[in-house]
Amino acid sequence: MVARTTRRYYMLGGKGGVGKTSCAASLAVRFANSGHPTLVVSTDPAHSLSDSFAQDLTGGALAPVEGTDSPLFALEINPEKSREEFRTINQKNGGTGVKDFMDGMGLGILADQLGELKLGELLDTPPPGLDEAIAISKVIQFLEAPEYSMFSRIVFDTAPTGHTLRLLSLPDFLDASIGKILKLRSKIASATSAIKSVFGQEVQQQDAANKLEQLRERMVKVRELFRDTESTEFIIVTIPTVMAISESARLHSSLQKESVPARRLIVNQVLPPSSSDCKFCAIKRKDQARALDMIKSDPELMGLNIMQAPLVDMEIRGVPALKFLGDIVWK
């Protein structure tokens, strides 16, 4: 993971509460201390990178992390700020989102006629999945924007499983949706060419179509990135409980369906060996052993590279503690 010279993307995901952020942050520290300028990104609305690094990384902008050998930056995507931007853009010049969109498509008259249905209010409200869409837009920036070109490693601390799967499937969904809109626009354009020439909206419509086509092409790039076995890897994080292992198996199955490469499974919070167990520890160790045996026999997980992270007697917080964890996990 460290030795490769080309740019690499790592996504860490799994059930809530298994320690994804600590594992993602420790991997980022490991990369930075190995000479790779690194960016760690949280796409989880409930950010905890600041807590993990014990530094204020809030604000939704690139923030430097102190204490590593090579540059390490963190970015907590701010969904509330992005929602406000969404509303502002959609309500510019006193209009509504649906009116602006349909004006751009040369269908402003139709939007006026539909105004009484209050469709504008519906579209001016951020839709479900906006957090994932915002994360996708950031991925596009990582691919294209010059300010991100310095980073040879980008680590994603993703939201719990359901959000992550929406994030991974969103490029397919948007690509198909934009394709349908473009086809519909083409049909409308051919049927209303005379009207367009009268009102002089040809250029405006074509500009809207070009923007949609550009967005569709970017979605294809993101989809290809998520599925590129040479540049991207999804790392599943779990803990040694039956419930967590079962969810990890379902996650891996979903990743395979999305053609997202996953090779590693981190089992976090494993009890270290002990010569004298209390009754509670003995029962806990027995439960963990049962869960670890599940991994060995589960058809979804048995082929993965299994890595264990011990349950430690201190809080993993701050760069030195993250380095300590990373030296154990990322061998």
Side-chain angles (χ1 to χ4, degrees), residues 20-279:
K20 295 185 299 296
T21 299
S22 295
C23 290
S26 71
L27 179 58
V29 169
R30 178 81 167 185
F31 282 143
N33 284 339
S34 300
H36 292 286
T38 300
L39 171 63
V40 56
V41 185
S42 173
T43 64
D44 187 345
H47 298 302
S48 52
L49 279 180
S50 292
D51 296 330
S52 192
F53 283 108
Q55 298 177 31
D56 184 7
L57 305 172
T58 58
L62 283 180
V65 175
E66 299 173 0
T68 56
D69 296 338
S70 291
L72 172 59
F73 283 76
L75 174 63
E76 291 187 340
I77 296 173
N78 188 332
E80 285 302 323
K81 181 180 177 182
S82 299
R83 285 191 188 98
E84 191 56 42
E85 290 174 357
F86 180 91
R87 295 187 187 98
T88 302
I89 291 170
N90 279 343
Q91 294 173 345
K92 61 184 178 181
N93 302 323
T96 64
V98 67
K99 180 68 163 61
D100 291 339
F101 177 77
M102 297 187 80
D103 274 344
M105 300 296 279
L107 301 172
I109 296 173
L110 180 59
D112 290 335
Q113 293 173 347
L114 294 175
E116 293 181 3
L117 298 178
K118 298 185 183 296
L119 291 179
E121 293 180 13
L122 178 64
L123 291 190
D124 288 337
T125 301
L130 180 66
D131 292 343
E132 288 79 21
I134 293 165
I136 288 286
S137 72
K138 287 295 181 183
V139 174
I140 293 172
Q141 290 182 22
F142 301 150
L143 290 171
E144 299 178 348
E147 64 262 33
Y148 296 109
S149 62
M150 67 173 284
F151 299 112
S152 60
R153 295 290 185 273
I154 297 181
V155 179
F156 292 91
D157 170 31
T158 71
T161 306
H163 290 271
T164 301
L165 291 177
R166 278 208 303 268
L167 171 68
L168 296 174
S169 62
L170 196 58
D172 275 337
F173 172 75
L174 290 178
D175 181 24
S177 300
I178 293 168
K180 290 177 182 177
I181 292 172
L182 288 171
K183 286 180 181 178
L184 176 62
R185 182 208 163 275
S186 179
K187 290 179 181 179
I188 293 173
S190 62
T192 60
S193 56
I195 297 175
K196 287 188 300 183
S197 62
V198 171
F199 289 97
Q201 293 176 323
E202 180 72 47
V203 174
Q204 189 178 14
Q205 286 190 52
Q206 190 57 48
D207 183 54
N210 289 342
K211 288 180 179 177
L212 281 173
E213 179 59 34
Q214 185 181 45
L215 178 59
R216 193 194 69 79
E217 291 173 356
R218 286 176 168 178
M219 287 302 105
V220 171
K221 281 186 180 180
V222 173
R223 181 179 63 197
E224 291 174 350
L225 173 70
F226 285 164
R227 296 172 178 173
D228 187 348
T229 57
E230 289 300 313
S231 64
T232 303
E233 181 180 341
F234 194 101
I235 300 172
I236 301 173
V237 184
T238 191
I239 54 176
T241 67
V242 171
M243 287 179 61
I245 299 299
S246 297
E247 180 164 326
S248 298
R250 291 192 295 271
L251 172 58
H252 185 250
S253 175
S254 298
L255 292 173
Q256 287 191 308
K257 289 176 184 176
E258 296 290 341
S259 300
V260 176
R263 303 186 190 92
R264 293 176 173 86
L265 173 70
I266 297 177
V267 186
N268 195 19
Q269 301 176 18
V270 178
L271 283 169
S274 175
S275 57
S276 58
D277 271 347
C278 65
K279 184 176 180 181

Side-chain angles (χ1 to χ4, degrees), residues 287-319:
D287 287 342
Q288 288 197 356
R290 186 186 306 119
L292 292 170
D293 286 340
M294 278 181 63
I295 296 174
K296 297 174 184 177
S297 59
D298 190 293
E300 287 293 341
L301 303 176
M302 59 192 302
L304 298 176
N305 180 9
I306 312 300
M307 309 158 72
Q308 291 191 12
L311 181 66
V312 295
D313 58 357
M314 66 176 185
E315 187 176 18
I316 301 298
R317 188 168 182 267
V319 170

